[in-house]
Every structure is written in structure tokens, then in C-alpha cells.
Amino acid sequence: MSVNFRLSKSVKYIVCVYMLIVLVSLFLTVYSLWLTVVSQELVELPFCLESHCVKYFLDMTSSSFVFIYRGGLLATGIFTFISVALLMENYISNLGSQRISNNVSQYNHFSTYIHLLLERYDRIPVKSISSLRWYQSIYASPTQGKFEISDQYYKTIAEINNIILSSNLNYVEGGSYRFREHQNLLSNTLFEIGITLHTGPRTSFHEAERQVIDFINETHSMFISEGMDIVKLEIPKYK
């Protein structure tokens, strides 16, 4: 498996500085060595590879190599920094790509599931469900690869349950409830998470409402492993 490193501008700049240090150090070393050889008239000496000859030559020119030595230390430090920077940059890039991939995969799974599930409900038009808006409402940070349920979604589900429970209570205790107010509140709240429940006559509305509630609960059972007891919608008792 090949790994592609994409250098940022800052890393490219550091690489240029690294190369410049190496070249300058090499130039200064060669130049100093040449000046030493000329000034000490070392070129006039006979060619000799015996140990005492080599030692004499090194003693005379050793100071010239300080440039390449110091430059090498500095270049090594920069090289180490560049290596770490490259690894970190590649890690962050791969992590970001993995998060995006996980998000896309999770959304595709979510969208495919709910569209297949909708085939069971004749009162819920496909176009009344915005899978993307619902998906983004459920999860707090899906683009970061985190699929915890958002606090706002918990609040929205609680509002829906309060609407249902309030109408249930009024119906059980008084035998009736405010239908128009109920359907407007419920439709508006569901719309916040991407689900459109059209208002209409009492009988047809309640049929669609019950299917929507069952549809949401089925979806929750598939995609919300923790906190299912919190997001489970109440069953209407009113008629």
C-alpha cells in the first residue's frame, strides 16, 4: 500500500531551509579548506598517504570542517523535525479522510434503511422524509466521525412526547382534546428534524401520525443503541 505525503507550505519552506544549510555548510567547508591549503602551502608538499602525513594534513585543516559539522547537526535537527511533521500531517490527513468516509458510509446506511422501511407505510410519502436533515439532527458531530446523539435531538423528541402525552391525558380524562392545536404543534416539531406530517382531517391525520410514530421508533431501534428509552415515542391514545 503506497502512502502519499502532501507537503504543506510550511514544510516545503523548512525543506528549502534544510537544503540551503547543507549547501552553505558544504561551500564554507570547501572554501575554508582551499584557503588553508593555499595559505599553508600544503599543495607544495609531496604526495603522501603515510599516517604521519595524513595526521599532519588533518591537523592543519581540521578547523575547516567545523562548518560541515555544525551544519550537519543543524540539518539533522531540521530533518528530524520534518520527519515528525510529515508523519503528523499524514496522520491528520488520513484521520480526516477516515472520518469523512465513516460519515458518508453511515449516512448511506441510514438513508437506504429508511427508504426501505418506508415501503411498509402507505400513509408516509417518500418525499415527506428528508433523510439528510433527519440524519444531521440525530447526530451531534457526524462529520467528525462521532455518532453520539445530539442534545437538541433529545429535546426535540421530548417535545414530541410531551405533545402526545398532553393530548393523551386530555382525551383520557375529558374524552376530547384540542385536535387543531395538537396537529399543528406535532407537525411543526416533526418538521424540525426533517419529517413532514401534513395537517388534514382528524381520521386521516391520526392514521398518518401513528405510522410516522412507528416509523420513527423503528428507525431509532436501528440507529440509536444507547438512550433508546429516552427517544422512544409514546403511542397515541386519542382518536
Side-chain angles (χ1 to χ4, degrees):
M1 180 178 65
S2 61
V3 179
N4 295 322
F5 291 104
R6 294 189 300 174
L7 298 180
S8 64
K9 290 183 179 180
S10 59
V11 175
K12 289 180 180 179
Y13 175 76
I14 294 173
V15 171
C16 291
V17 173
Y18 170 80
M19 296 302 299
L20 181 62
I21 291 174
V22 172
L23 292 175
V24 170
S25 300
L26 184 60
F27 171 77
L28 291 176
T29 299
V30 173
Y31 184 66
S32 176
L33 185 62
W34 178 77
L35 289 178
T36 302
V37 169
V38 172
S39 64
Q40 298 297 324
E41 298 181 347
L42 297 180
V43 292
E44 303 296 332
L45 298 176
F47 181 75
C48 176
L49 292 178
E50 294 182 8
S51 60
H52 68 278
C53 297
V54 174
K55 184 177 183 301
Y56 176 76
F57 180 81
L58 292 177
D59 288 341
M60 297 298 295
T61 60
S62 59
S63 297
S64 298
F65 292 98
V66 70
F67 298 106
I68 196 69
Y69 174 73
R70 297 296 182 185
L73 291 178
L74 181 59
T76 300
I78 293 177
F79 177 79
T80 302
F81 176 81
I82 292 174
S83 299
V84 174
L86 285 173
L87 290 174
M88 289 299 297
E89 187 175 33
N90 189 62
Y91 171 76
I92 293 172
S93 176
N94 288 341
L95 183 61
S97 298
Q98 184 178 9
R99 287 174 176 174
I100 293 173
S101 178
N102 290 342
N103 182 35
V104 172
S105 177
Q106 178 75 351
Y107 171 69
N108 287 337
H109 179 43
F110 178 82
S111 179
T112 300
Y113 175 82
I114 65 174
H115 281 87
L116 289 174
L117 185 62
L118 281 172
E119 295 178 0
R120 292 166 44 182
Y121 303 97
D122 60 345
R123 292 286 184 174
I124 308 177
V126 174
K127 63 181 180 180
S128 68
I129 307 297
S130 173
S131 57
L132 179 59
R133 185 171 180 178
W134 192 9
Y135 174 82
Q136 292 175 334
S137 297
I138 293 176
Y139 299 114
S141 304
T143 56
Q144 299 298 318
K146 300 177 181 179
F147 298 101
E148 293 85 1
I149 309 305
S150 70
D151 292 337
Q152 182 58 47
Y153 191 74
Y154 280 128
K155 292 179 182 178
T156 303
I157 294 300
E159 290 177 12
I160 295 173
N161 271 332
N162 287 337
I163 295 170
I164 297 173
L165 289 172
S166 177
S167 295
N168 279 346
L169 182 62
N170 290 333
Y171 181 79
V172 171
E173 291 183 349
S176 64
Y177 68 102
R178 296 178 179 178
F179 169 68
R180 293 296 179 188
E181 180 181 342
H182 169 86
Q183 72 169 348
N184 287 332
L185 285 173
L186 187 60
S187 296
N188 291 337
T189 308
L190 285 171
F191 186 75
E192 293 178 8
I193 61 174
I195 299 176
T196 301
L197 178 60
H198 296 288
T199 58
R202 184 186 296 260
T203 301
S204 60
F205 178 82
H206 284 326
E207 289 177 354
E209 177 187 12
R210 282 168 170 76
Q211 287 195 8
V212 166
I213 291 173
D214 186 69
F215 169 68
I216 293 174
N217 282 336
E218 286 292 329
T219 304
H220 284 173
S221 66
M222 175 61 67
F223 291 94
I224 301 179
S225 57
E226 297 182 3
M228 182 58 197
D229 55 330
I230 301 176
V231 297
K232 185 176 182 180
L233 294 180
E234 298 291 334
I235 304 301
K237 297 179 181 179
Y238 42 82
K239 299 179 181 179

